[in-house]
Amino acid sequence: MDPRKMGLLVVPLTGLAAWATGCGTAEPAAPSEGTPPDTSTPPDTSIPPDTSTPPDAGSAFANALLSAHNEVRAGAQPAPQPPLAPLTWSAEAAAKAQAWANQCQWKHNPNLGDYGENLMAAAPPGSLTEREVVMSWASEAKNYSYANDTCSAVCGHYTQVVWRNTKQVGCATAICDKNSPFSSFSRWQLWVCDYTPPGNFVGQKPY
């Protein structure tokens, strides 16, 4: 039995359909869909649907995701003592994330190994920025009671982001034309972030 907490979250975001799933091995249920997108501004579909090379550590993509993760870690409440160390980029985790994103499957990687994982699905592609992906996970902070180490609703994405023992993250994205979890969108975007060492161990607080 994987000791990590398992959780699923339906995330309604204005102007798009989005759904996220956090660390664990639970199979996702049918996602909900948000407000129909504003088609007056075409979505950014510049991200290639099948990226063979994972994002570089110094890329704008990696920097935006790292910055957002570390913003959340710096603002964790109650304030960690000592403060949480900023995450750094892992090329190995990014490669694992990219390989899984390219499969365009709306479920966790069954061969994660010693990694944690957060996922996000969104439609239409280009609806979310890198920061918005992370802040969607971080919004679960309101569901987490640090005093009791309990969740009133799904909070596993947030606790993974602020897990003290997690030192590195690697993320990737792919635009998919198959296996859409959205009934109204055949084209969708999958985001994958893999974390090392993994977090969300039952019976342990994140920090």
Side-chain angles (χ1 to χ4, degrees):
M1 177 70 70
D2 190 332
R4 284 172 279 180
K5 299 172 185 176
M6 295 182 287
L8 302 175
L9 174 65
V10 175
V11 184
L13 294 174
T14 303
L16 55 96
W19 193 55
T21 181
C23 301
T25 55
E27 291 294 328
S32 70
E33 296 179 8
T35 305
D38 178 2
T39 56
S40 62
T41 303
D44 177 9
T45 57
S46 59
I47 301 171
D50 183 29
T51 305
S52 58
T53 303
D56 292 331
S59 66
F61 178 88
N63 287 337
L65 283 158
L66 268 180
S67 177
H69 275 87
N70 290 329
E71 179 183 344
V72 176
R73 288 171 71 86
Q77 294 295 324
Q81 295 298 332
L84 299 176
L87 299 180
T88 59
W89 190 258
S90 166
E92 293 79 7
K96 179 174 280 288
Q98 189 68 70
W100 183 244
N102 289 345
Q103 299 302 310
C104 290
Q105 297 191 54
W106 182 233
K107 62 181 182 179
H108 281 294
N109 184 347
N111 300 307
L112 262 180
D114 194 26
Y115 289 89
E117 185 172 78
N118 279 350
L119 305 179
M120 174 71 76
S127 298
L128 293 177
T129 66
E130 291 86 357
R131 186 177 186 277
E132 286 170 338
V133 169
V134 178
M135 292 305 162
S136 179
W137 296 330
S139 69
E140 296 174 8
K142 64 183 180 296
N143 302 329
Y144 179 63
S145 167
Y146 184 86
N148 300 319
D149 192 29
T150 58
C151 303
S152 60
V154 174
C155 66
H157 311 91
Y158 166 71
T159 54
Q160 172 60 87
V161 172
V162 299
W163 201 264
R164 182 182 293 283
N165 289 339
T166 293
K167 306 301 182 185
Q168 292 190 299
V169 64
C171 303
T173 191
I175 294 176
C176 302
D177 293 303
K178 62 181 181 180
N179 301 325
S180 175
F182 304 108
S183 61
S184 300
F185 298 91
S186 60
R187 197 161 215 240
W188 60 291
Q189 187 168 2
L190 175 63
W191 299 78
V192 181
C193 283
D194 287 345
Y195 302 83
T196 181
N200 285 353
F201 287 91
V202 174
Q204 298 181 27
K205 291 184 177 181
Y207 54 85

